[in-house]
Amino acid sequence: MEPPSLSNRVSVLLPYPFETPFTYAAAQALPPGTLVRVPLGARMAVGAVWSHPPDQGVKTRPIAEILARPPLPKPLMDFVDWVAAYTLSPRGEVLALALKESLLTAPPKRGKAFTFGGADPAHPGPILSAAQAAAAAALRDSVTHQKFSVTLLDGVTGSGKTEVYLEAVAQALRENRQALVLLPEIALSVQFLQRFQQRFAAAPAVWHSELTPAARRETFRAVAEGRANVVVGARSALFLPFPDLGLIVVDEEHESAFKQEDGVMYNARDMAVVRARLSAAPCVLVSATPSLESVENAASGRYTRLDLPSRHGGAVLPQVKSVDLRASPPERGKFLSPVLVEAVRETLARGEQAMLFLNRRGYAPLTLCRRCGHRISCPNCTAWLVEHRSHSRLICHHCGHSAAIPETCPACAAEASFVPIGPGVERIAEEVAALFPVARTLVMASDIITSPKQAAEAAATITERGADIIIGTQMVAKGWHFPHLTLVGVVDADLGLAGGDLRAGERTVQMLHQVAGRAGRAQAPGTVLLQSFSPEHPVIAALISGNLPDFYAQEAAARRPGHWPPYGRLAALIISATDEKLADQTARALARTAPHGPGIEVLGPAPAPYALLRGRFRRRLLLKTAKHIPVQPLLRDWLAQTDIHKSSRIDVDVDPVSFM
């Protein structure tokens, strides 16, 4: 029976798409954060007591169980509330990022990774250069002050940024606080984990989607109990229950992989700053090619900026050159210019390694009929099927639809008429095998290397000189250190520059500068060749000159007049439905009630670039405001006054990174 005292009513937030907590009865007063099991309909659910006034006017059911687990820390609860309000997501859906019943209900299983107390800050680290030592001292001071701050650590590729911020991690441990290091693709960051082990004589706790359920449970508990003093994780690690978080580091802070594109749409870089503020801790953003947002925040004084302008240990930055494909075209049906082919040949003759970069998986991005021009597309998405010759299949990279190459064209009935158009990394590997039959090649792409173990094996093979030519997608651009790699050839430097994406130029500069940074990281000098049909393009010119500040200034000058980020605010409304007419009707209804006023502009509705995705028709509207106008109140009022059909779905993306 319910206790008679109303003072024992408590609010419990459940990790489901509910905006507000539910009111339950308790036999005792429970502090916020207490984890409980409660009835929800005909079943039981795990939730957290929330700092929310309980409803005094409803009939309540009693809490079934108080779990013997550490309560959620107040900074985490505040963070859940903040993220929900900012992204316009149901509060319970955000809580689901931090709390899952599977993490709590299994019997405790202590892993040996946390029985020696975690990382040891007293373990001697590497000898730092004068520039590194100065930057490390500044970061240690920010940790010692135990208050919120943001520092942008900007250093060229190979300058030793990791060693610098690991000194800040060590200081957090000396202060008996926990540290979190976010990486864009933790499952593939094997070299970072090795460097961490060398620095602290212990492996960090890791948090990413590849962990087994048992490992996730143990890591969650070790963090909550303070046994894991350092966590290295993907973006979702922001929602772990740190009882005393003293430092957050966001490595490769410019990476778009930090943006969650479905469900709760948040940018982990920006939310890391918020989590640090709520935890009274410093946040360090690290990149050789920082985002324009971070550059502007540093210029305005909101962030402190530390620069490492030179490579560590006497290594020099590679020489970057363009290869004009109009003047030196590949042979017919091939994709490597004679200039690049000769450079690879000379590199191999010196006993060094070469890397060929193309950010396109598979064998060919398009398959068409040479008789009628019919293109094989995905039935569920506005996308062509990509040939993966290693799998003998055509695959959609958006929904996963797979099909065999048809023997006859469905449009004209021609037999054996389909041909691959354009290259993917598999096709480049085929060309390399014909040109250099003795060379040992290794392909690094996410559909080939799918686990941390495979990534570690590939990295070891390259480091131990078991491969001569590495062919890869964006996977090869992420912080690898291969001391014998001296040549990087970018097969298509123009890829990504076409279209109307706001950040196309910025993203291309960042990716190509990062992949160029893999060359010449030890004593032998490096060379980078950019194959391009437009070597005069500002992006190519910036990469050749290495003058990124001028490029950022040009980007800023282009965005500032139109109030485009970071000089204004954006929010996207993505309408989707299985019926195309319904998607159009919903989009038009939203357009009719769109907000207006000084500094406010609504663009659309228009079909999304992927107008059909996973079987749903998609339309977009874009809300753009001056920087001083918050978009969340406008969005709430807008959605509240629009009648939306229950079969339609509206996803809100505040601060969109992708416009697909």
Side-chain angles (χ1 to χ4, degrees):
M1 295 180 59
E2 178 183 342
S5 173
L6 294 180
S7 63
N8 291 329
R9 287 176 175 242
V10 294
S11 294
V12 177
L13 185 63
L14 300 175
Y16 301 103
F18 302 125
E19 172 56 31
T20 57
F22 291 84
T23 299
Y24 288 90
Q28 63 193 71
L30 298 176
T34 302
L35 299 181
V36 295
R37 191 182 310 280
V38 296
L40 179 65
R43 60 193 178 95
M44 304 299 290
V46 166
V49 176
W50 215 251
S51 305
H52 189 277
D55 192 332
Q56 302 293 348
V58 297
K59 184 178 180 180
T60 59
R61 301 172 72 182
I63 287 175
E65 180 185 2
I66 300 173
L67 301 183
R69 297 281 185 262
L72 296 186
K74 185 178 185 303
L76 177 57
M77 298 175 66
D78 293 342
F79 184 57
V80 168
D81 285 337
W82 200 98
V83 172
Y86 191 84
T87 62
L88 271 71
S89 302
R91 188 180 277 106
E93 189 173 12
V94 180
L95 177 63
L97 299 175
L99 183 66
K100 292 180 173 60
E101 186 167 1
S102 61
L103 299 172
L104 302 168
T105 54
K109 179 182 178 182
R110 294 189 179 269
K112 63 179 180 180
F114 307 114
T115 59
F116 45 63
D120 178 12
H123 190 267
I127 298 175
L128 303 181
S129 68
Q132 287 178 314
L139 293 183
R140 282 196 298 268
D141 286 346
S142 71
V143 174
T144 300
H145 291 153
Q146 296 196 8
K147 64 181 182 179
F148 170 64
S149 65
V150 185
T151 301
L152 174 62
L153 179 59
D154 183 0
V156 299
T157 54
S159 60
K161 297 182 293 296
T162 302
E163 285 72 18
V164 169
Y165 73 67
L166 287 181
E167 291 304 304
V169 171
Q171 187 60 36
L173 302 185
R174 295 186 192 102
E175 303 283 341
N176 293 316
R177 304 187 76 186
Q178 293 168 298
L180 168 63
V181 179
L182 295 180
L183 300 178
E185 292 189 41
I186 179 62
L188 304 173
S189 302
V190 292
Q191 286 192 333
F192 173 85
L193 298 177
Q194 292 167 357
R195 290 159 80 178
F196 187 99
Q197 176 89 32
Q198 293 168 359
R199 173 60 184 87
F200 293 107
V206 295
W207 185 263
H208 56 77
S209 59
E210 300 295 326
L211 293 178
T212 64
R216 291 178 72 84
R217 286 193 296 269
E218 169 55 17
T219 300
F220 183 89
R221 291 176 181 139
V223 170
E225 296 168 6
R227 293 183 286 120
N229 53 8
V230 182
V231 175
V232 176
R235 58 182 178 243
S236 61
L238 274 175
F239 293 89
L240 285 171
F242 296 95
D244 192 8
L245 187 57
L247 172 69
I248 300 178
V249 177
V250 184
D251 204 349
E252 309 289 4
E253 64 90 28
H254 65 278
E255 277 282 351
S256 59
F258 281 123
K259 180 63 188 280
Q260 173 74 28
E261 297 279 12
D262 54 16
V264 179
M265 297 185 184
Y266 68 95
N267 190 316
R269 177 199 65 212
D270 300 338
M271 297 304 104
V273 173
V274 175
R275 181 83 201 262
R277 178 174 59 81
L278 295 172
S279 302
C283 181
V284 182
L285 308 179
V286 185
S287 179
T289 54
S291 62
L292 184 56
E293 285 80 358
S294 294
V295 169
E296 285 297 307
N297 278 326
S300 67
R302 293 186 64 195
Y303 296 172
T304 300
R305 184 167 186 162
L306 300 174
D307 289 309
L308 295 173
S310 302
R311 281 190 159 178
H312 183 62
V316 296
L317 290 169
Q319 184 179 17
V320 183
K321 305 175 184 177
S322 66
V323 177
D324 190 338
L325 292 176
R326 299 167 299 187
S328 301
E331 294 180 16
R332 184 177 178 84
K334 305 296 183 183
F335 302 95
L336 303 181
S337 163
V339 176
L340 180 53
V341 171
E342 182 59 28
V344 173
R345 184 172 286 113
E346 292 174 356
T347 300
L348 299 183
R350 294 193 301 269
E352 298 164 359
Q353 294 170 316
M355 175 183 286
L356 299 176
F357 172 78
L358 177 63
N359 195 28
R360 189 182 279 148
R361 290 178 288 152
Y363 184 85
L366 174 64
T367 301
L368 61 75
C369 174
R370 60 186 156 200
R371 174 175 290 182
C372 72
H374 176 75
R375 304 179 179 193
I376 303 180
S377 60
C378 177
N380 308 313
C381 306
T382 308
W384 312 123
L385 293 183
V386 177
E387 181 181 353
H388 285 252
R389 193 155 289 187
S390 60
H391 298 80
S392 300
R393 303 290 288 176
L394 296 170
I395 299 174
C396 175
H397 287 174
H398 302 282
C399 71
H401 174 81
S402 174
I405 299 177
E407 296 182 0
T408 61
C409 175
C412 70
E415 296 184 357
S417 63
F418 282 107
V419 293
I421 304 298
V425 286
E426 290 180 13
R427 198 168 191 180
I428 298 302
E430 181 181 87
E431 186 173 340
V432 165
L435 287 167
F436 307 100
V438 180
R440 298 161 299 173
T441 62
L442 188 152
V443 178
M444 295 185 71
S446 59
D447 58 329
I448 296 172
I449 295 177
T450 59
S451 70
K453 180 181 178 181
Q454 290 176 325
E457 291 170 350
T461 297
I462 298 169
T463 302
E464 296 165 8
R465 309 184 82 160
D468 303 306
I469 302 175
I470 300 96
I471 303 164
T473 61
Q474 64 178 344
M475 177 184 290
V476 301
K478 300 185 184 303
W480 300 104
H481 179 79
F482 300 133
H484 309 294
L485 178 64
T486 59
L487 174 69
V488 167
V490 177
V491 176
D492 187 354
D494 305 325
L495 187 64
L497 291 176
D501 194 319
L502 169 70
R503 297 181 175 88
E506 180 186 358
R507 278 209 199 96
T508 302
V509 159
Q510 290 165 340
M511 179 176 293
L512 296 188
H513 185 82
Q514 292 281 344
V515 75
R518 301 314 105 203
R521 294 175 67 93
Q523 298 306 312
T527 301
V528 180
L529 298 179
L530 308 175
Q531 292 194 156
S532 172
F533 285 103
S534 305
E536 68 283 353
H537 194 284
V539 164
I540 307 299
L543 292 165
I544 293 172
S545 69
N547 192 341
L548 295 188
D550 274 4
F551 172 79
Y552 283 117
Q554 294 170 14
E555 281 285 298
R559 296 190 202 177
R560 192 178 284 111
H563 300 293
W564 295 102
Y567 310 103
R569 300 182 184 276
L570 286 182
L573 271 63
I574 305 100
I575 302 97
S576 65
T578 55
D579 180 82
E580 186 172 15
K581 290 183 178 179
L582 180 57
D584 285 328
Q585 291 171 2
T586 305
R588 288 195 294 267
L590 277 169
R592 286 193 294 268
T593 57
H596 55 84
I600 300 172
E601 183 179 6
V602 173
L603 306 175
Y610 290 110
L612 178 65
L613 189 65
R614 302 182 187 95
R616 297 184 70 87
F617 295 92
R618 304 168 74 241
R619 304 293 183 262
R620 290 178 63 96
L621 293 101
L622 192 65
L623 171 64
K624 181 160 71 82
T625 74
K627 194 168 185 178
H628 68 279
I629 301 176
V631 299
Q632 287 83 1
L634 294 174
L635 289 167
R636 290 191 192 95
D637 291 344
W638 186 4
L639 294 171
Q641 61 182 297
T642 307
D643 187 23
I644 305 300
H645 193 279
K646 63 180 181 180
S647 297
S648 296
R649 188 174 75 213
I650 299 178
D651 293 313
V652 178
D653 187 359
V654 178
D655 305 326
V657 169
S658 168
F659 292 88
M660 296 295 104

